[in-house]
Amino acid sequence: MAIKNKTKYAILGVLCLKPCSGYDIKKFCDKTISHYWSENFGHIYPVLKQLQEEHFIQPSEDKASAKRNVFQITDEGKREFVEWLMLPPEIQSPRSELMLKLSFGNYIAIEHVIAMLGEVKDRNIRNLAYYRELEGSYLTNDAAKKDPAFPYWLAPLRHGILTSEVNIRWCEETVQNIKQYAPSNLEEDAYV
Amino acid sequence: MAIKNKTKYAILGVLCLKPCSGYDIKKFCDKTISHYWSENFGHIYPVLKQLQEEHFIQPSEDKASAKRNVFQITDEGKREFVEWLMLPPEIQSPRSELMLKLSFGNYIAIEHVIAMLGEVKDRNIRNLAYYRELEGSYLTNDAAKKDPAFPYWLAPLRHGILTSEVNIRWCEETVQNIKQYAPSNLEEDAYV
DNA sequence: ATATAATATATCAGAGTGATATATTTATTT
DNA sequence: AAATAAATATATCACTCTGATATATTATAT
């Protein structure tokens, strides 16, 4: 196989936590891990079928759940998932549309670039506020702190916080640099 | 169209800088913008064909270049590119394999997680060193500083620097948290 | 009762990845 | 000068993943 199917492992992971339907899996992703992982129906359903054929998941043994198309992970599935967990994460080929656009910033009016960076900054401010709130509720929850999974749930959240903070600083710095180094590109170099 | 073809715009951008063959475009991406953008042949060649049909690019007017399958951007192509540049960058659905793995860290032995974070830290240290070197050569190059594109080339580089720094700090912090909150999950909770 | 929100699944075209194969030209070594 | 290696160049393939759309059923609120 050319490229690894990551959706497969994401689904196995979610099913380690609790039996789910395809719909439940999508909901879980959107609600709980959406700031670092996304899934969509177009992939979830075919992969669920494939996982069943591979005997990594099976219809829930609970009668009511089975009727609702709920799946549970098998022992084989758990083994497969844990094996994947221990492999070093693959380096992802980057594709930042923002950076690509920005690197051609001298092709458009400076106002456009500054507005763009303003929007990015605002989005990061909103994200940061949300993360900080989540962090607060985590750190004041003694039950959560005793869960052995606690530091593993905290880690992506902390990454979100630190990343948002740095993005905000970077936006400010970049606007300053643009104003300093390219104050009058409108007349000389811009296409528009 | 459901999803925007970004390769199209990346190619137009590169051809704004200089006429290129598909091979040249790939080389440029790998050499110059690889820390925030990647392209591959499997997409470049069909998109080049498509761009030609849309009259956004054409075979180079230079005889030698034309023989070498070099393309140049048309005025229409420039217009198309600049129009795209001014659109707000689309929000990308995140997929961090590292974060996904980490959030299930309590399913494997703590040593594995710590080793994984060590590798991530090392990679970020290497990247940071490379970025810093590049930054140094930029900032001491007076000709480069006078180029109106200067702040736009600096921006992605600065983002790489700030992001690497924060990732290094995050790795250290996360290892500490794991040791503090889950010092003995080997016996109690790990599958392996 | 009725509207509407939540649950549930299927399907599709198209974007993007990375591996592989292959042929030609140019540079380097012997 | 011949042999070899490296760079240039393109095509193709199976597969992953995205996001839109369509559609039907079951809870829940008014």
Side-chain angles (χ1 to χ4, degrees), chain B residues 5 7 11 40-54 57:
Chain B
N5 178 340
T7 294
I11 290 178
N40 55 293
F41 290 129
H43 216 189
I44 288 173
Y45 287 109
V47 172
L48 275 176
K49 203 167 284 174
Q50 183 202 321
L51 282 169
Q52 216 181 346
E53 281 160 18
E54 293 175 306
I57 65 172

Side-chain angles (χ1 to χ4, degrees), chain A:
Chain A
M1 220 185 311
I3 308 161
K4 270 266 166 65
N5 178 340
K6 310 259 165 85
T7 294
K8 178 176 159 178
Y9 298 103
I11 290 178
L12 287 178
V14 176
L15 292 184
C16 274
L17 303 175
K18 60 171 192 270
C20 283
S21 68
Y23 189 79
D24 293 334
I25 291 167
K26 171 71 169 141
K27 229 177 34 179
F28 178 86
C29 290
D30 288 351
K31 210 181 107 186
T32 313
I33 59 177
S34 64
H35 62 288
Y36 57 90
W37 196 263
S38 62
E39 285 296 344
N40 55 294
F41 291 129
H43 216 189
I44 288 173
Y45 287 110
V47 173
L48 275 176
K49 202 166 284 174
Q50 183 201 323
L51 282 169
Q52 217 180 345
E53 281 161 17
E54 293 175 307
H55 302 106
F56 292 144
I57 65 173
Q58 62 187 201
S60 171
E61 279 155 3
D62 180 66
K63 301 285 172 190
S65 295
K67 196 187 137 201
R68 214 168 61 81
N69 260 355
V70 169
F71 293 96
Q72 63 186 30
I73 194 164
T74 63
D75 288 343
E76 268 169 287
K78 266 178 204 158
R79 230 172 296 135
E80 176 80 2
F81 178 61
V82 170
E83 227 164 86
W84 174 78
L85 272 188
M86 291 190 291
L87 295 176
E90 279 176 27
I91 293 168
Q92 300 169 256
S93 35
R95 275 208 145 197
S96 166
E97 190 179 336
L98 173 63
M99 294 304 152
L100 184 65
K101 284 193 158 149
L102 204 51
S103 68
F104 287 97
N106 60 315
Y107 284 73
I108 59 175
I110 193 169
E111 291 78 14
H112 278 117
V113 182
I114 289 174
M116 196 181 284
L117 287 166
E119 278 167 46
V120 173
K121 184 181 166 182
D122 288 347
R123 194 169 67 237
N124 276 281
I125 287 173
R126 285 195 301 275
N127 287 345
L128 181 57
Y130 170 71
Y131 295 150
R132 282 233 174 277
E133 208 188 308
L134 245 180
E135 189 193 31
S137 68
Y138 266 41
L139 294 176
T140 54
N141 183 340
D142 286 337
K145 269 180 173 164
K146 273 177 196 132
D147 191 324
F150 176 72
Y152 300 110
W153 284 94
L154 191 61
L157 182 58
R158 287 292 305 162
H159 191 264
I161 288 173
L162 294 173
T163 299
S164 301
E165 285 174 346
V166 102
N167 282 340
I168 292 165
R169 274 196 285 131
W170 171 82
C171 285
E172 291 165 352
E173 174 195 305
T174 300
V175 167
Q176 275 186 355
N177 281 339
I178 289 169
K179 283 181 178 165
Q180 186 188 335
Y181 286 104
S184 59
N185 77 338
L186 246 177
E187 305 86 41
E188 297 169 30
D189 300 281
Y191 278 45
V192 169

Side-chain angles (χ1 to χ4, degrees), chain B residues 3 21 23-24 27 42 45 68-69 93 95:
Chain B
I3 307 163
S21 68
Y23 189 79
D24 293 335
K27 228 175 38 177
Y45 287 109
R68 214 167 63 80
N69 260 353
S93 35
R95 276 207 144 196

Side-chain angles (χ1 to χ4, degrees), chain B residues 8-9 11-12 15 46-61 71-81:
Chain B
K8 178 177 159 179
Y9 299 104
I11 290 178
L12 288 178
L15 292 185
V47 172
L48 275 176
K49 203 167 284 174
Q50 183 202 321
L51 282 169
Q52 216 181 346
E53 281 160 18
E54 293 175 306
H55 301 105
F56 293 144
I57 65 172
Q58 61 188 201
S60 171
E61 278 154 3
F71 293 97
Q72 65 186 29
I73 194 164
T74 64
D75 288 345
E76 269 169 286
K78 265 178 203 159
R79 229 173 297 133
E80 175 80 2
F81 177 62

